[in-house]
Amino acid sequence: CYQMYARSKTGLSPEIVKFRQGDDFYIEARDAFYILRPEAVESFFILDRLTSDPIYREWGWEIFLAIERYCRLPVAYGSRADVHDTDKLPSDRMESFFLAETLKYLFLLNDPDTDLDIVNKHVFNTEAHPLRLLEEVQPLDLTKLLPTGAGDTLQQKDITTVMGHEDIGDTREELRVAEQTVAAQAAQLEHWKTKMAKMNDILDEKEREIHRLREALRRQQL
């Protein structure tokens, strides 16, 4: 991955490289564009945390400098149509993953004192949002997610320890009751919606009747 960046004139990676059997990679003209992708620097960040080898931070810094030099625009960053063309300006288009992922990984790669610990405490989702591992998460009180009154049928000591509990069988019946309660409340809500719709129809008819009476009264006065 690093060589895909290092061998181009801009220091940026083409979208695709191809290999011939027993030979080095090559780039076709149609694949020479760069759209600020994060995958390489994401890999450097993970390898840096796993190995503590400073080379990955150096590679990330080189890529960051290339982005600054060849992709920066007055208000943002843009893609490049050809990583070998150092003269053409970047296009007026920036993918959202550049801010969400590429810059985030470059920042973390150069921040060895960050609290994020991908070995023991955290994991990143596909859009580079850090999440704590489940064993690092405090027990969740599920009754707070239920409608008012539904939690009364649940045993608080069981439901608040579901997260990380080895045996959740004791709470299945309570959860089933809660689901029935929610379903009943939903059915009641639909009933009142139907009733309100009928009342609106009646009110509309009354308004039309008042309008007819007013028109009739106006004609008599004329």
Side-chain angles (χ1 to χ4, degrees):
C1 291
Y2 169 71
Q3 292 300 325
M4 292 170 62
Y5 286 84
R7 296 190 194 180
S8 75
K9 293 181 179 180
T10 59
L12 301 170
S13 170
E15 180 72 3
I16 299 172
V17 299
K18 296 182 179 179
F19 292 84
R20 295 186 182 94
Q21 187 173 2
D23 200 357
D24 203 353
F25 69 74
Y26 65 97
I27 304 168
E28 293 186 350
R30 63 183 180 182
D31 301 325
F33 59 93
Y34 173 71
I35 57 173
L36 306 164
R37 287 196 183 277
E39 285 78 9
V41 292
E42 176 185 3
S43 300
F44 297 164
F45 166 69
I46 294 172
L47 288 168
D48 175 73
R49 291 300 185 269
L50 294 178
T51 68
S52 299
D53 190 334
I55 191 61
Y56 299 113
R57 194 174 301 167
E58 291 295 328
W59 290 352
W61 183 246
E62 289 179 21
I63 292 173
F64 173 73
L65 292 178
I67 292 173
E68 281 288 299
R69 182 175 181 181
Y70 291 107
C71 297
R72 186 160 187 169
L73 293 166
V75 296
Y77 292 80
S79 306
R80 295 196 71 89
D82 186 349
V83 295
H84 293 306
D85 186 347
T86 59
D87 297 323
K88 189 175 182 179
L89 293 175
S91 62
D92 187 17
R93 174 185 173 85
M94 184 179 76
E95 301 287 349
S96 61
F97 54 67
F98 175 67
L99 296 178
E101 300 180 66
T102 308
L103 285 185
K104 184 183 295 181
Y105 284 122
L106 284 169
F107 176 83
L108 292 172
L109 184 58
N110 289 278
D111 182 23
D113 299 324
T114 179
D115 292 332
L116 290 174
D117 181 355
I118 63 170
V119 177
N120 301 303
K121 295 183 178 181
H122 301 94
V123 64
F124 285 90
N125 69 5
T126 187
E127 293 299 324
H129 301 305
L131 304 172
R132 284 184 295 172
L133 299 177
L134 286 181
E135 54 264 29
E136 296 293 326
V137 179
Q138 294 297 319
L140 176 64
D141 183 358
L142 297 182
T143 59
K144 294 180 180 180
L145 306 179
L146 299 174
T148 303
D152 296 342
T153 61
L154 304 178
Q155 297 180 19
Q156 185 74 14
K157 63 181 180 63
D158 289 335
I159 199 66
T160 56
T161 58
V162 168
M163 295 295 291
H165 202 288
E166 294 181 358
D167 182 13
I168 63 172
D170 295 340
T171 65
R172 288 177 178 171
E173 179 61 23
E174 288 86 351
L175 289 174
R176 186 186 65 81
V177 173
E179 290 174 353
Q180 290 178 343
T181 302
V182 172
Q185 291 181 347
Q188 189 176 25
L189 178 61
E190 288 300 321
H191 168 74
W192 281 107
K193 284 183 178 179
T194 302
K195 197 166 185 178
M196 288 297 296
K198 292 181 179 179
M199 291 294 295
N200 286 332
D201 290 341
I202 293 174
L203 289 174
D204 290 342
E205 180 58 33
K206 291 296 184 181
E207 288 180 357
R208 288 192 291 270
E209 184 177 350
I210 291 172
H211 178 72
R212 289 194 296 269
L213 290 173
R214 285 177 176 172
E215 283 296 314
L217 180 61
R218 185 179 65 83
R219 287 194 295 268
Q220 288 179 0
Q221 291 175 345
L222 293 177

